Amino acid sequence: MPDKRDPSTRVSGGNDRIVVVGASAAGLTTVESLRRDGYAGRITLIGKESRLPYDRPPLSKQVLTGAWHPERTALRAPATYDQLDVDLLLGVPATGLDMSTQQVYLHGGERISYDKLVITTGVTPRRLTNVHHLAGVHVLRTLDDALALEAELRCEPKVVVIGAGFLGCEVAASARSLGLDVTLVDPLPVPMMRQFGLRLGQQVAELHRDHGVRLRIGTGVTRALGQQRVDSVELSDGSVIDADVVLVAIGSTPATEWLTASQLKLDDGLVCDSLCRAAPNIFAAGDVARWHNPRFDLSMRVEHRMNATEQAMAVASNLVGATTPFAPMPYFWTDQFDARIQAYGIFPSGCDMTITCGDSAERRFVAHFTHKARVVGVLGWNMPKKLREARNLITAPSS
Amino acid sequence: MRIDIDVDQCVGAGQCVLAAAQVFDQRDDDGIVVLLQDEPHSELREAVRQAALLCPTNAIRVHE
């Protein structure tokens, strides 16, 4: 709900005010953690979407299949925001930042003053050229995106998913579980290759093939064909496949356009130190933040749900006086058909995968990923408890 | 302090066990949360709150 007070009171309202730009998981967790850590000053949470904060992982699964009513994705009940005593400014994108006057510019011209600023603006889906001009071509980031795609899936379309990463694989599985004709396209030789390498990718390919997903891997997409609405997709090998609905899931870029004119350093994300600090009074958390993770001595940007929570908690604590480096063990999961794949750690390209528990043929196993003779990541396929126990084996890569 | 868990919401991330192993466990087969005690002693309060905050699917509700 928009703040109804006179805007002029806001511009001058600089008395111990924390402004959080980005009202999704990381933004909400920042607010909650600040209150939990005892911060009693004013907090303003600004969001581009007009909805109250909601959870994104169910969008490609439970929301897309219609198993969940969209309201179930709400991260908190509406009354919680009153209890948190937070000013909500929803449906208003931030358009700029002036660090010298400590003001955030909003769409419509309003300016919001801050003493401390937290940037949690997330990411934006990447788009292909020659594809998005036709109706029936989708991206999936927001709840509205998911509902639009879900409505189309109800008409029993032929579905083409472009991009076999986390999101593309999940959507292919969801659409196939609805009984739809699904083709998954990716230029790399196996799905999820970028994330986990060739061997694990072969397992994912088998999983999808066994469930009836058509895989067109090792080939890219040149363009979408159709009049006003898509009817087919042309692949880079010259072949054409029928498509009533297309999802483009080829990754995301950090939502930092609004910071381009600021002095903040942008480099595939908002660059922060190990405290998640981009400037003396400016912090970042979640998908948008690139920070130095001392646990692995690496510059990282993590687009996973768990990181949004953990990083926001760390930022809140550092906002109110702590100086604790954020050194998490990354955790992520994906659900595709009957496979629950979970992982801890990092998975640099070229690392070796060894199954240490269970059996890949039975699709129940834990694998260790080693790099320079150290375990840097562990992955479990339908073995959550054993995976958690394997987490302690992860050590930093030797430099 | 009383704890409710929503097993339909749980994805078996196990973050609750990492935060408060005396209160939470996971089923062996699918990793879904198992509540070992639903009214834990007050000295576990911080750990349980942490578990609820960390849960990536909001499957843990804490009533105080």
Side-chain angles (χ1 to χ4, degrees), chain B residues 15-25 36 44 46-49 51:
Chain B
Q15 296 294 322
C16 52
V17 189
L18 294 170
Q22 290 161 281
V23 181
F24 302 98
D25 196 2
L36 301 175
L44 292 169
E46 259 324 287
V48 170
R49 280 189 193 144

Side-chain angles (χ1 to χ4, degrees), chain A residues 29 32-33 36 55 57 62 68 72 74-76 305-306 309-310 313 329 331 333 335 340 342 344 364 382-386 388 391-392, chain B residues 6 8-15 17-18 24-32 45-47 49-50 52-58 61:
Chain A
T29 304
E32 281 195 317
S33 302
R36 183 171 178 247
D55 206 18
Q62 294 93 334
W68 281 17
R72 191 164 165 189
L75 282 168
R76 296 292 177 269
R305 179 64 182 83
M306 194 67 221
T309 301
E310 286 188 295
M313 289 165 75
M329 175 73 75
Y331 164 81
W333 83 95
D335 293 333
R340 170 155 293 161
Q342 302 168 302
Y344 288 103
R364 249 176 96 73
N382 285 337
M383 268 203 159
K385 195 167 173 177
K386 286 272 187 254
R388 178 170 48 75
R391 180 184 184 270
N392 294 332
Chain B
D6 182 345
D8 292 335
Q9 204 92 354
C10 176
V11 291
Q15 296 294 322
V17 189
L18 294 170
F24 302 98
D25 196 2
Q26 289 177 278
R27 298 201 297 234
D28 281 330
D29 55 342
D30 58 8
I32 298 301
R45 181 168 305 205
E46 259 324 287
R49 280 189 193 144
Q50 186 80 359
L53 280 172
L54 283 174
C55 175
T57 59
N58 284 317
R61 300 284 148 123

Side-chain angles (χ1 to χ4, degrees), chain A residues 7 9 12 28 41 48 61 110 126 233 238 273 293 360 392 399:
Chain A
T9 62
S12 60
L28 170 62
K48 183 170 78 171
K61 301 178 279 280
E110 193 178 344
R126 288 175 56 205
V233 169
D273 62 12
N293 183 343
S360 63
N392 294 332
S399 47

Side-chain angles (χ1 to χ4, degrees), chain A residues 267-389:
Chain A
D267 181 10
D268 183 32
L270 174 53
V271 178
C272 301
D273 62 12
S274 62
L275 303 181
C276 308
R277 199 172 44 185
N281 289 319
I282 303 178
F283 293 74
D287 298 358
V288 74
R290 170 166 294 284
W291 91 106
H292 184 83
N293 183 343
R295 181 191 288 261
F296 294 99
D297 192 21
L298 282 176
S299 164
M300 298 177 73
R301 188 175 68 78
V302 179
E303 290 180 18
H304 291 292
R305 179 64 182 83
M306 194 67 221
N307 188 63
T309 301
E310 286 188 295
Q311 195 163 21
M313 289 165 75
V315 161
S317 150
N318 288 338
L319 273 167
V320 294
T323 50
T324 313
F326 179 53
M329 175 73 75
Y331 164 81
F332 38 98
W333 83 95
T334 174
D335 293 333
Q336 300 170 26
F337 299 110
D338 53 0
R340 170 155 293 161
I341 305 167
Q342 302 168 302
Y344 288 103
I346 58 173
F347 300 83
S349 63
C351 61
D352 294 314
M353 167 178 154
T354 313
I355 291 177
T356 55
C357 178
D359 185 345
S360 63
E362 290 173 18
R363 290 181 180 157
R364 249 176 96 73
F365 62 89
V366 171
H368 292 181
F369 288 72
T370 51
H371 187 66
K372 295 183 183 170
R374 292 177 187 236
V375 178
V376 293
V378 292
L379 178 142
W381 187 304
N382 285 337
M383 268 203 159
K385 195 167 173 177
K386 286 272 187 254
L387 174 73
R388 178 170 48 75
E389 290 161 5

